[in-house]
Amino acid sequence: MWDIIRCICDYNPRLTLTLDLTPPLPSVPGVLSRWAAEPIRHVFLPASTFIANAKGYPVLPKGSQTFIREIMKHRPIVILSGAADGLHSRGGEAAYLQYVRHLEKTSPSVMQMKTAGTVENFAQGYQDYLQAPLQPLMDNLGSITYQTFEQDPVKYERYETAVTAALKDWPVSERIVIVVAGAGRGPLVARCLAAIERSEKEAFVYAVEKNPNAYVTLQGRKAQEWGDKVELLFGDMRTVQLPEKADIVVSELLGSFGDNELSPECLDGAMRFLKPNGISIPASYSAYLAPLSSSKLYNEVRAGKDELKACETPYVVMFQAVNILSDDGGLENGRCGPQVQECWDFEHPRREAVLDEQGLPPTNTHNTRSAKLTFHIPHAGVLHGLAGYFEAILYNDIGLSIHPLRKDRISKDMLSWFPLFFPLKACAFICSWKMYRLCLTMS
Ligand SMILES: C[S@@+](CC[C@H](N)C(=O)[O-])C[C@H]1O[C@@H](n2cnc3c(N)ncnc32)[C@H](O)[C@@H]1O
């Protein structure tokens, strides 16, 4: 019914939803999550929905408690009715309101938003806000962008741990050469120096950067902090000449979908100065997708000046009012993959790469990828686009991840990347218990 109404209203952004919680909620897990993707503005909660606890105070059944805690992230206005009718023996009229406030305070998403250091706290105000992905190869990033990156303690800690582990594994006798490819304002250079100290190995760092503004900061840091432990090289890593070959190339050129900021293309060039047994940190990265429902994001995209163009662009988004339509477990003897599926991956250095006399690949066809994915859709919903994520292996089991089900295990509270949203030009209704097949190519 709701879908019919909003389609008749052509997804008018002024159309909002009031959920009436008078009838008992369905107990099947997942059925209610579709409402997370809708513009909930009000929740109607009559006193008759409450049950009495052992002491006679009004409380909600378990399922309703969980659902209300979940939707509190939308900050709905809760309309209580019949609170003065004396349906419950203890607590009076105020008990209903106190109970709803308690649910809000104990809502996991509200608590996350209030906890310093979490992504939810860091991203307040950015939820469901469409941002154009960065193009650090084409554009020279501004100082404010670097400053935002540098606020992420998790990403740099992961890198330092990875470089330390790689150095510890290196044969003792050798002087190790590290190249930071795309050094920005130097946070990875500083972490490499810290890793050298931690590992007690002898190593030297080159820092390559093509952005003249960031390079000025690097020059300042070399003069004041690093001295002769670091040599700076200005230029594009695909063409710059290095005085010696490197054992370890450290880079951070990743986008929310892994390769979407041209990391593979840049690192193809940087692999020229890696020794044959040298390693890259990251060693590999993979892109992941899941079908997504969000009338909020669908509307935001359509509100763009050129609607057609706006629909053909991916956006970096801190998801909030979204619902992933797929789930694990599949139809027809497991023909469907997991809820969030891997599309493709890239590894560095490429083994068996065909290279020209300068050590560069003659074409870029090796970076073309395609994938065929099949998702299981357990509950009916409207498909508005795809959610994109990445996961990277830095070194051995040390990684970075924004995969929704694995990020907390691999790089909890990492702030640097929000997921990518690929909008669809036309949304599509998918019935319950269906398969959704997706074929995509990246060239
Ligand atoms: C995402 S930023 C990361 C900066 C820094 N390493 C950090 O972690 O804060 C990527 C950096 O790589 C630089 N970069 C991108 N492509 C490059 C290329 N082809 N050659 C040299 N630097 C490049 C950009 O200018 C930018 O400073």
Side-chain angles (χ1 to χ4, degrees), residues 134-141 146 149-150 155-156 159 180-189 208-211 214 233 235-240 250-254 261-262 265-267 417:
L134 294 175
Q135 303 277 340
L137 179 59
M138 188 171 72
D139 305 328
N140 283 326
L141 304 177
Y146 287 110
F149 295 155
E150 291 161 15
K155 174 181 111 177
Y156 298 109
Y159 267 96
V180 178
R185 303 198 309 179
L188 285 183
V189 177
V208 178
E209 176 54 58
K210 58 97 190 162
N211 178 348
L233 295 155
D236 191 313
M237 65 181 83
R238 295 169 298 174
T239 49
V240 80
V250 181
S251 67
E252 193 287 271
L253 304 160
L254 298 165
E261 292 183 11
L262 301 180
E265 287 75 5
C266 290
L267 288 183
W417 293 272

Side-chain angles (χ1 to χ4, degrees), residues 29 46 52 63 67 114 154 162 193 268 270 290 346 348 360 371:
F67 181 61
K114 289 187 177 162
V154 177
L193 294 175
D268 277 346
F346 290 87
H348 304 288
L360 293 167

Side-chain angles (χ1 to χ4, degrees), residues 34-168:
R34 62 168 295 197
W35 298 110
E38 303 301 345
I40 302 169
R41 181 68 63 80
H42 296 94
V43 173
F44 181 69
L45 198 56
S48 57
T49 306
F50 287 75
I51 52 173
N53 69 8
K55 291 181 182 162
Y57 286 93
V59 293
L60 286 168
K62 271 262 164 330
S64 309
Q65 285 180 32
T66 311
F67 181 61
I68 292 190
R69 283 201 178 99
E70 178 56 28
I71 59 171
M72 277 301 177
K73 66 180 173 202
H74 296 273
R75 301 284 169 155
I77 295 168
V78 179
I79 304 165
L80 283 165
S81 83
D85 295 351
L87 287 181
H88 297 87
S89 58
R90 304 287 296 275
E93 205 176 332
Y96 299 94
L97 185 59
Q98 280 164 4
Y99 184 73
V100 171
R101 288 217 171 110
H102 159 73
L103 291 184
E104 183 182 12
K105 267 197 203 138
T106 52
S107 151
S109 31
V110 172
M111 280 161 51
Q112 288 278 65
M113 271 185 231
K114 289 187 177 162
T115 309
T118 61
V119 184
E120 291 75 8
N121 179 269
F122 173 76
Q124 280 190 65
Y126 282 97
Q127 285 98 344
D128 297 328
Y129 178 76
L130 304 182
Q131 298 177 65
L134 294 175
Q135 303 277 340
L137 179 59
M138 188 171 72
D139 305 328
N140 283 326
L141 304 177
S143 206
I144 189 80
T145 310
Y146 287 110
Q147 205 179 333
T148 310
F149 295 155
E150 291 161 15
Q151 283 175 36
D152 185 345
V154 177
K155 174 181 111 177
Y156 298 109
E157 181 280 326
R158 297 277 73 202
Y159 267 96
E160 185 179 322
T161 306
V163 177
T164 307
L167 288 172
K168 280 187 176 163

